[in-house]
Amino acid sequence: MPVAKPESSDSRVIAHVDMDCFYVQVEQRKQPQLRGLPTAVVQYNEWKGGALIAVSYEARKFGIKRSMRGEEAKEVCPQVQLVQVPVARGKADLSGYRNAGSEVVSILARRGRCERASIDEVYLDLTDAAEMMLADNPPQGMETIDEEALKSHILGLNNEDGSDVKENVRNWIHRHNADHRDKLLACGILIVAELRMQVLKETEFTCSAGIAHNKMLAKLASGMNKPAQQTVVPFSSVKGLLDTLPIRKMKQLGGKLGISLQMDMGVNTVGDLLQFPEEKLQERYGINTGTWLWNIARGISGEEVEGRLLPKSHGSGKTFPGPRALKTVPAVQHWLNQLCEELSERLCSDLDQNKRIAHTLTLHARAYKSSDSDSQKKFPSKSCPLRYGTAKIQEDAFNLFQAGLREYIGFYGGKTRGSHCRGWGITSLSVSASKIVPIPSGTCSIAKYFHGQSTSHFSSMQSSDNLNTEATLSLPSGSECYSEVNLSEPKIDFPKEESWIKDTVPDLDLQEQKDLSSTLSEKTQDGFIQEDISPLLLSGCLEQNRSKQQWDLSKDESQFKSEYKERKGKRLKDKGTYSIIELFKSYNPNPSGSFLSHEYNRTVGGTDVSSSSYSRDGEEGRREAWGYNIDEIDPSVMEELPPEIQDEIKAWMQPHEQRPNNMVKRSCTISHYFSPSKKS
Ligand code: DCP
């Protein structure tokens, strides 16, 4: 099945920008006296001087490598400056590096669509900016070309005849007879050089870049000349670049798929792939992977630069190698609490700053069983709907862990004696929050968001049957995942201890990753993972943030009211719209799932809510299992709702309102929607 070559992609201008020895640069900015010195950042654990996770280019000249430990680095270069990664909650605190990465992203995003690919990597689609430059001020006519642009490495440009390299670059940029693609790349050279200079000026960080017609080639090129340089791949040089490129160097081919290509197909360079017809590759590796391999052999990649400046998930993890393996449930709980605290903080700041909420909480672990023939068995990753608030996340993560552990050790296989395990150990733990979506801010938007809720409800997280099992992913330690199913090959080596890693799925080959992605979406559809989340689940965060006044409710209230007037008259009972009362009804603030229908009937003062209201929306199934405790509704929030919804709620609450003890102070705001319990 031949795939049409994406013609248009040939005339895109894509850049991949990668910070140089990033953590070192961040530390050097904090301590400018370290600039220019051989410097390395070491991991939190101090054993043998700690593992090196970032090495300055000055230190690399002495032979210091990331795989070394601090002591070894000192032997190689006694004057090396070792800086320990910041620590919080007994683990590495990467927030300073994340924030520094964000500073860079905000500058790069000024010239085109920008995708944050990792803590220190960004893709840019500069096509529009390049087209504009070509139309307004084409490089051919420019009298002066910036020095930084003249230092570019243009693949295929012959510099071996002793000619002045910068002069060659200048001539290449100035060519009048160049085709449109090369003219666009010439603009890309100028734009990226300017952006890199701007990054340096505003942040004091240097970065390197690759400029090409697609993401794959740009990424390949950015690592070719470091630090603080840029490399360009004209269309005419693609074949030459790929012909000799070792197959395992290609993004996504460093793992099992790359090994299989080498071992089973005798493919050593990307160019070697050209000998195989697409059908043959499809036969061996499946339709998608086969086509993908056929394409990359020709330098074809239609992958778009996603306009995304924020991570797609947040993760917090820690490894416990060797003797540090966790062997008791309380020890696991202690660390889970630390990880959840960090995760919760990051979720709250994401909500504050970006108005985004995460839907799914996932626990990953690695474990061993000492006395079991089945010791290869992976600890199953478990997911559940994410509830905001540190205590809730901690509680849910612990439940997920227990469910995973039960499955891992088998029903009879590994009963714990007291809090001590019999023969298992946890060597790494992480919690992650995914399915992060923006919510429109403000009262109006919140009301809209309520309307848009699906009829999903929340499963009990106590029962392991209701927990979602996902393929075991590797552990991000305080990581952010910037790409949903990240197919990129990790360029990092996995340290023997706590580490930050870039890729969520580092060991899977393309097919496995695709399988994983389809597994995840299937799970999502079957209801184990909830696609929609109730804003009520945000309660914890809003509680935490209330004092900060992050939600400017008063401002948005008037906006909401005027918008509401426009919509007045439209009833909100259209099929598919979901009024707040349905949301209340579907929300179960008790994770144990104890609000069953009979209890629900009781708490709403005997009103047969289930038959009247639920059947109206055809929610019979939901009614049987879930209910909302009417005591949880704060009547004062109704003032901020559309009148028809107010009526709806008042009708529901009438018997309730007659009980003065249940009345809540009128000073409450809409944020009380988010409060599942007045007691909390
Ligand atoms: N990192 C880490 N643990 C690893 C690998 C990397 O914590 N095992 C961190 C430190 C790095 C940052 O991620 O500074 C970015 O990783 P890169 O692989 O991009 O490497 P550097 O930016 O350090 O160096 P280079 O200039 O080679 O890109």
Side-chain angles (χ1 to χ4, degrees):
M1 190 190 72
V3 168
K5 187 174 169 182
E7 291 295 340
S8 60
S9 69
D10 291 343
S11 50
R12 287 183 299 163
V13 180
I14 309 294
H16 177 258
V17 180
D18 186 16
M19 306 307 294
D20 303 315
C21 57
F22 187 47
Y23 288 12
V24 171
Q25 287 205 75
V26 175
E27 296 304 330
Q28 286 178 330
R29 186 172 71 169
K30 279 198 271 182
Q31 303 179 56
Q33 72 277 15
L34 296 179
R35 279 192 198 287
L37 301 179
T39 308
V41 174
V42 292
Q43 192 44 290
Y44 162 59
N45 184 286
E46 285 175 357
W47 185 68
K48 290 195 172 179
L52 270 53
I53 52 173
V55 180
S56 76
Y57 283 83
E58 292 85 359
R60 292 182 203 194
K61 285 186 194 148
F62 290 90
I64 296 178
K65 296 193 174 92
R66 188 143 68 189
S67 53
M68 292 178 176
R69 302 197 75 90
E71 284 180 6
E72 201 183 342
K74 282 270 183 202
E75 276 168 28
V76 174
C77 169
Q79 70 271 36
V80 68
Q81 307 290 314
L82 300 178
V83 184
Q84 203 197 46
V85 79
V87 172
R89 301 184 185 90
K91 63 185 288 296
D93 174 13
L94 307 182
S95 51
Y97 306 129
R98 274 189 212 104
N99 295 341
S102 302
E103 287 176 46
V104 175
V105 170
S106 68
I107 297 164
L108 296 175
R110 290 173 194 163
R111 295 300 293 274
R113 194 160 67 241
C114 178
E115 174 184 330
R116 192 170 184 182
S118 80
I119 200 162
D120 76 332
E121 280 175 288
V122 165
Y123 287 101
L124 296 172
D125 188 334
L126 300 170
T127 313
D128 289 346
E131 290 281 10
M132 222 176 327
M133 182 184 276
L134 212 48
D136 297 346
N137 185 19
Q140 306 91 285
M142 286 181 187
E143 276 178 22
T144 50
I145 303 284
D146 189 86
E147 267 300 294
E148 195 55 39
L150 292 179
K151 286 195 276 172
S152 301
H153 302 260
I154 302 176
L155 297 188
L157 200 61
N158 186 5
N159 293 321
E160 283 159 15
D161 56 4
S163 55
D164 182 341
V165 177
K166 282 189 189 170
E167 210 41 46
N168 289 347
V169 174
R170 189 193 309 276
N171 291 338
W172 194 90
I173 292 173
H174 274 150
R175 280 181 315 158
H176 281 277
N177 58 350
D179 65 19
H180 187 67
R181 289 178 305 212
D182 278 357
K183 284 182 181 167
L184 283 175
L185 280 190
C187 298
I189 290 175
L190 300 177
I191 296 167
V192 173
E194 199 183 305
L195 280 172
R196 289 181 37 246
M197 287 299 95
Q198 202 56 34
V199 168
L200 183 63
K201 193 171 150 203
E202 292 184 36
T203 68
E204 301 174 26
F205 299 142
T206 67
C207 55
S208 300
I211 304 153
H213 293 301
N214 63 45
K215 281 170 87 173
M216 175 183 80
L217 296 169
K219 162 104 181 167
L220 267 179
S222 68
M224 293 175 86
N225 294 287
K226 278 191 136 233
Q229 294 169 77
Q230 57 186 50
T231 306
V232 188
V233 190
F235 184 74
S236 54
S237 304
V238 174
K239 188 168 181 326
L241 168 66
L242 297 178
D243 268 355
T244 52
L245 186 77
I247 192 82
R248 307 275 304 280
K249 290 259 182 229
M250 187 57 129
K251 190 181 159 197
Q252 297 151 31
L253 291 179
K256 290 178 190 169
L257 182 56
I259 293 173
S260 164
L261 284 164
Q262 273 183 312
M263 308 296 282
D264 307 332
M265 312 285 279
V267 170
N268 290 313
T269 67
V270 177
D272 289 346
L273 277 173
L274 287 171
Q275 61 188 293
F276 298 103
E278 188 177 6
E279 290 74 15
K280 172 87 181 156
L281 294 169
Q282 288 178 333
E283 209 174 278
R284 181 70 182 76
Y285 295 107
I287 300 282
N288 291 336
T289 305
T291 298
W292 178 76
L293 288 169
W294 189 88
N295 279 333
I296 61 155
R298 289 153 185 83
I300 300 169
S301 162
E303 208 189 321
E304 291 289 328
V305 173
E306 290 174 36
R308 178 166 43 76
L309 309 184
L310 301 169
K312 280 195 166 176
S313 68
H314 297 290
S316 174
K318 184 172 171 67
T319 58
F320 308 93
R324 275 178 299 208
L326 306 177
K327 293 176 184 148
T328 68
V329 171
V332 171
Q333 189 167 22
H334 165 80
W335 280 110
L336 268 183
N337 285 347
Q338 309 300 311
L339 301 178
C340 291
E341 204 175 291
E342 186 196 335
L343 183 65
S344 179
E345 255 177 31
R346 285 167 55 200
L347 286 169
C348 284
S349 75
D350 201 348
L351 179 63
D352 288 348
Q353 289 162 17
N354 312 313
K355 302 281 180 281
R356 302 197 309 163
I357 55 162
H359 286 221
T360 302
L361 175 71
T362 303
L363 174 123
H364 312 283
R366 280 194 197 134
Y368 65 81
K369 279 189 272 188
S370 51
S371 57
D372 198 331
S373 56
D374 195 17
S375 60
Q376 296 300 312
K377 195 174 160 188
K378 283 184 175 174
F379 193 99
S381 292
K382 297 282 180 185
S383 295
C384 69
L386 193 146
R387 300 185 302 154
Y388 275 67
T390 305
K392 295 186 184 87
I393 295 175
Q394 287 170 335
E395 178 188 344
D396 293 346
F398 185 56
N399 287 334
L400 292 173
F401 171 77
Q402 287 184 306
L405 185 65
R406 274 197 294 275
E407 203 173 304
Y408 179 70
I409 59 183
F411 194 70
Y412 302 106
K415 280 184 183 164
T416 54
R417 196 183 288 139
S419 63
H420 278 72
C421 75
R422 214 192 264 165
W424 56 263
I426 299 294
T427 55
S428 66
L429 268 181
S430 83
V431 283
S432 63
S434 58
K435 296 194 191 301
I436 305 180
V437 294
I439 52 169
S441 61
T443 313
C444 166
S445 310
I446 293 169
K448 274 187 198 158
Y449 185 68
F450 280 144
H451 303 157
Q453 283 292 307
S454 84
T455 55
S456 66
H457 55 270
F458 301 96
S459 307
S460 159
M461 283 174 281
Q462 301 287 25
S463 155
S464 62
D465 292 345
N466 286 335
L467 299 170
N468 184 40
T469 306
E470 292 180 356
T472 304
L473 305 177
S474 283
L475 304 174
S477 174
S479 69
E480 289 176 340
C481 176
Y482 294 87
S483 131
E484 186 105 71
V485 177
N486 198 333
L487 298 177
S488 62
E489 186 59 33
K491 58 178 176 175
I492 51 179
D493 26 64
F494 295 98
K496 294 174 193 68
E497 57 177 30
E498 177 184 35
S499 71
W500 174 84
I501 63 171
K502 284 183 172 183
D503 294 82
T504 323
V505 194
D507 279 324
L508 302 181
D509 67 30
L510 190 69
Q511 195 50 54
E512 284 173 311
Q513 290 162 24
K514 282 182 177 154
D515 291 344
L516 169 62
S517 107
S518 63
T519 309
L520 294 179
S521 56
E522 272 164 34
K523 298 280 184 190
T524 302
Q525 282 156 12
D526 72 16
F528 285 116
I529 294 181
Q530 301 298 325
E531 268 302 325
D532 297 292
I533 195 165
S534 165
L536 291 159
L537 298 188
L538 295 168
S539 62
C541 217
L542 288 175
E543 284 294 338
Q544 281 174 27
N545 293 337
R546 193 163 293 160
S547 60
K548 293 193 230 156
Q549 299 286 310
Q550 294 293 343
W551 291 62
D552 187 357
L553 296 173
S554 53
K555 182 188 80 192
D556 290 314
E557 212 169 339
S558 55
Q559 187 192 344
F560 164 62
K561 279 174 182 160
S562 69
E563 274 193 43
Y564 174 68
K565 272 181 195 156
E566 285 172 31
R567 291 184 295 146
K568 205 172 177 186
K570 279 190 189 170
R571 286 291 299 165
L572 296 171
K573 62 184 177 184
D574 314 0
K575 214 170 178 187
T577 30
Y578 200 56
S579 74
I580 189 167
I581 197 69
E582 265 74 34
L583 190 76
F584 284 144
K585 284 182 289 191
S586 68
Y587 172 62
N588 178 3
N590 183 345
S592 68
S594 62
F595 292 105
L596 300 177
S597 56
H598 63 279
E599 196 161 3
Y600 176 57
N601 289 343
R602 183 177 58 73
T603 54
V604 294
T607 313
D608 186 4
V609 285
S610 40
S611 57
S612 61
S613 176
Y614 286 122
S615 57
R616 197 175 53 202
D617 284 330
E619 293 295 328
E620 293 289 346
R622 182 158 57 86
R623 177 195 61 202
E624 273 163 35
W626 306 103
Y628 176 75
N629 187 346
I630 203 77
D631 289 332
E632 308 287 349
I633 300 177
D634 177 353
S636 66
V637 303
M638 288 193 301
E639 287 168 8
E640 296 171 73
L641 292 171
E644 63 266 49
I645 294 185
Q646 288 187 27
D647 293 345
E648 196 179 353
I649 295 175
K650 276 180 192 152
W652 281 94
M653 295 183 75
Q654 207 120 42
H656 200 60
E657 282 177 339
Q658 286 157 9
R659 290 179 285 160
N661 288 346
N662 288 325
M663 290 300 286
V664 184
K665 281 187 239 135
R666 305 297 291 177
S667 61
C668 297
T669 71
I670 195 164
S671 58
H672 282 70
Y673 285 149
F674 299 95
S675 183
S677 167
K678 306 284 169 340
K679 294 158 216 121
S680 66

